[in-house]
Amino acid sequence: MLSRTADHLFWLSRYMERAENTARLLDVNYQTSLLPQSHSTAEQGWRSLLSISELSGHYGTLHDQVDAKRVTDYIVRDERNPSSIVSCLRAARENARAVRGALTTEVWETTNQTWLEFKRLLADGLLARDPSAVFEWVKFRSHLSRGVMVGTMYQDEAFDFIRIGSFLERADNTARLLDVKFHAMDHEFHGDADARDSARDFYHWSSVLRSVSGFEVYRKVYSNVIKPEKVAELLILRTQMPRSLAHCTERLLSNLRRVANDQSGETLRQAGRLNAELEFGRIDEILATGLHAFLTQFLERVGNLGDGISRDFLMPTESREPRMN
């Protein structure tokens, strides 16, 4: 496959996945903001949302205040933000248009229609009237896009590069979410358990789970009592959880093996080693050595994998970096 084609397919799926992940985080943060809380707590919630996506610096150059409306507009509809939902959906559509011959008609039409309908939703003012409806719509369209890809595309190298992009982006997002949210509640592990606000803790951890569609899964696997170490285990080591780090790296490795070439040996080795560490890892060992250190290293290794994939298969350019630093 031509590297240019592989590059467009890879980024098509990454941008669609990023749009969905962003909508998930926004929806949970919006729902949480409706609960009784102080102004400082609400502001911190929106700041953490910017931090997860590494957008705090860029946001600060455009706005002097952090509040729900400004952050929501910035992350949803501001085209100056390359990671906003509108920017991601536009980029996904442009990448799909560039390789229409490698896609089925259904995949192209779904991607193109998503972009056109999203512009109409914004023009109609739905974001101001019902933000949650917009977020649900973005998630639904991403699910539809992924389902159409799986259900209609011939599962050759083109399909593999789409899946590689999806799982790389998803792993990166889950790790960022965990790092920021666990840092915010670091006293779970080091503070006085009797002094904790159990109601606040429940909403905090349940919101983390809901942002990755993991609330019902958690109750099925563990119990109704939400414990931070179990949340970490579910979202890091449980391969059955579709958005866990272990699941993403397992699928990433599987697709990398299918497209491996003579120069991708080192990238494949790095992916295999990361997958093995998660497959045989234990949450008590991870927490003992420090969750922040583990997640920071994981993000660095995922970034290195992305660089390796670009070097071995794609067309690396500075403007296509996945995050703003």
Side-chain angles (χ1 to χ4, degrees), residues 295-316:
L295 292 170
T296 299
Q297 184 184 60
F298 179 87
L299 285 167
E300 181 179 350
R301 294 169 74 176
V302 166
N304 290 338
L305 278 177
D307 292 340
I309 291 167
S310 294
R311 180 185 63 246
D312 299 338
F313 305 105
L314 312 179
M315 299 182 64

Side-chain angles (χ1 to χ4, degrees), residues 29 33 142 186 216 250 257 300 309:
N29 213 68
S33 71
S142 178
D186 187 63
E216 291 83 1
E250 180 183 70
R257 282 176 171 154
E300 181 179 350
I309 291 167

Side-chain angles (χ1 to χ4, degrees), residues 22 50 57 74 119 145 198 212 230-231 276 288:
T22 301
L50 293 168
Y74 173 74
K119 288 198 299 181
S145 176
S198 59
V212 292
K230 296 300 183 183
V231 173

Side-chain angles (χ1 to χ4, degrees), residues 126-143:
L126 182 60
L127 182 63
R129 296 196 309 273
D130 189 355
S132 190
V134 174
F135 308 146
E136 286 296 330
W137 184 90
V138 173
K139 289 189 286 182
F140 171 78
R141 295 299 298 189
S142 178
H143 297 164

Side-chain angles (χ1 to χ4, degrees), residues 105-160:
T105 300
E106 292 89 345
V107 171
W108 161 248
E109 290 181 347
T110 299
T111 307
N112 187 48
Q113 193 67 21
T114 297
W115 165 242
L116 296 175
E117 289 187 16
F118 188 67
K119 288 198 299 181
R120 284 196 289 268
L121 287 180
L122 293 181
D124 186 51
L126 182 60
L127 182 63
R129 296 196 309 273
D130 189 355
S132 190
V134 174
F135 308 146
E136 286 296 330
W137 184 90
V138 173
K139 289 189 286 182
F140 171 78
R141 295 299 298 189
S142 178
H143 297 164
L144 178 62
S145 176
R146 188 161 49 246
V148 169
M149 288 176 180
V150 172
T152 68
M153 286 191 65
Y154 187 68
Q155 298 192 11
D156 57 1
E157 285 187 338
F159 181 80
D160 288 324

Side-chain angles (χ1 to χ4, degrees), residues 59-222:
Y59 177 89
T61 65
L62 302 174
H63 304 283
D64 57 2
Q65 295 182 34
V66 175
D67 56 42
K69 185 181 185 306
R70 287 185 176 86
V71 174
T72 299
D73 282 347
Y74 173 74
I75 295 181
V76 174
R77 62 188 305 163
D78 194 336
E79 296 188 9
R80 295 171 296 179
N81 171 12
S83 290
S84 67
I85 293 177
V86 70
S87 296
C88 288
L89 294 182
R90 184 185 64 246
R93 190 259 187 186
E94 290 305 307
N95 278 282
R97 184 174 61 85
V99 288
R100 285 185 62 174
L103 303 173
T104 61
T105 300
E106 292 89 345
V107 171
W108 161 248
E109 290 181 347
T110 299
T111 307
N112 187 48
Q113 193 67 21
T114 297
W115 165 242
L116 296 175
E117 289 187 16
F118 188 67
K119 288 198 299 181
R120 284 196 289 268
L121 287 180
L122 293 181
D124 186 51
L126 182 60
L127 182 63
R129 296 196 309 273
D130 189 355
S132 190
V134 174
F135 308 146
E136 286 296 330
W137 184 90
V138 173
K139 289 189 286 182
F140 171 78
R141 295 299 298 189
S142 178
H143 297 164
L144 178 62
S145 176
R146 188 161 49 246
V148 169
M149 288 176 180
V150 172
T152 68
M153 286 191 65
Y154 187 68
Q155 298 192 11
D156 57 1
E157 285 187 338
F159 181 80
D160 288 324
F161 281 112
I162 286 175
R163 301 293 276 176
I164 288 169
S166 291
F167 288 117
L168 192 68
E169 181 69 28
R170 189 180 298 179
D172 179 272
N173 181 82
T174 300
R176 290 177 185 277
L177 169 70
L178 283 170
D179 195 23
V180 171
K181 294 300 185 180
F182 271 79
H183 179 72
M185 299 290 282
D186 187 63
H187 64 276
E188 280 285 350
F189 300 109
H190 305 294
D192 181 1
D194 294 332
R196 296 200 303 264
D197 184 337
S198 59
R200 178 172 177 266
D201 286 355
F202 173 81
Y203 283 116
H204 180 87
W205 298 117
S206 63
S207 72
V208 172
L209 291 169
R210 290 184 191 281
S211 69
V212 292
S213 297
F215 185 74
E216 291 83 1
V217 174
Y218 181 94
R219 295 177 64 179
K220 178 179 180 179
V221 175
Y222 301 105

Side-chain angles (χ1 to χ4, degrees), residues 6-42:
D7 185 77
H8 285 301
L9 293 168
F10 174 82
W11 283 102
L12 159 62
S13 59
R14 284 202 74 164
Y15 281 123
M16 284 300 298
E17 182 71 31
R18 189 179 303 173
E20 178 187 347
N21 292 334
T22 301
R24 286 175 173 276
L25 293 172
L26 278 166
D27 195 23
V28 169
N29 213 68
Y30 172 72
Q31 298 294 340
T32 302
S33 71
L34 301 178
L35 297 171
Q37 57 185 310
S38 66
H39 174 76
S40 60
T41 299

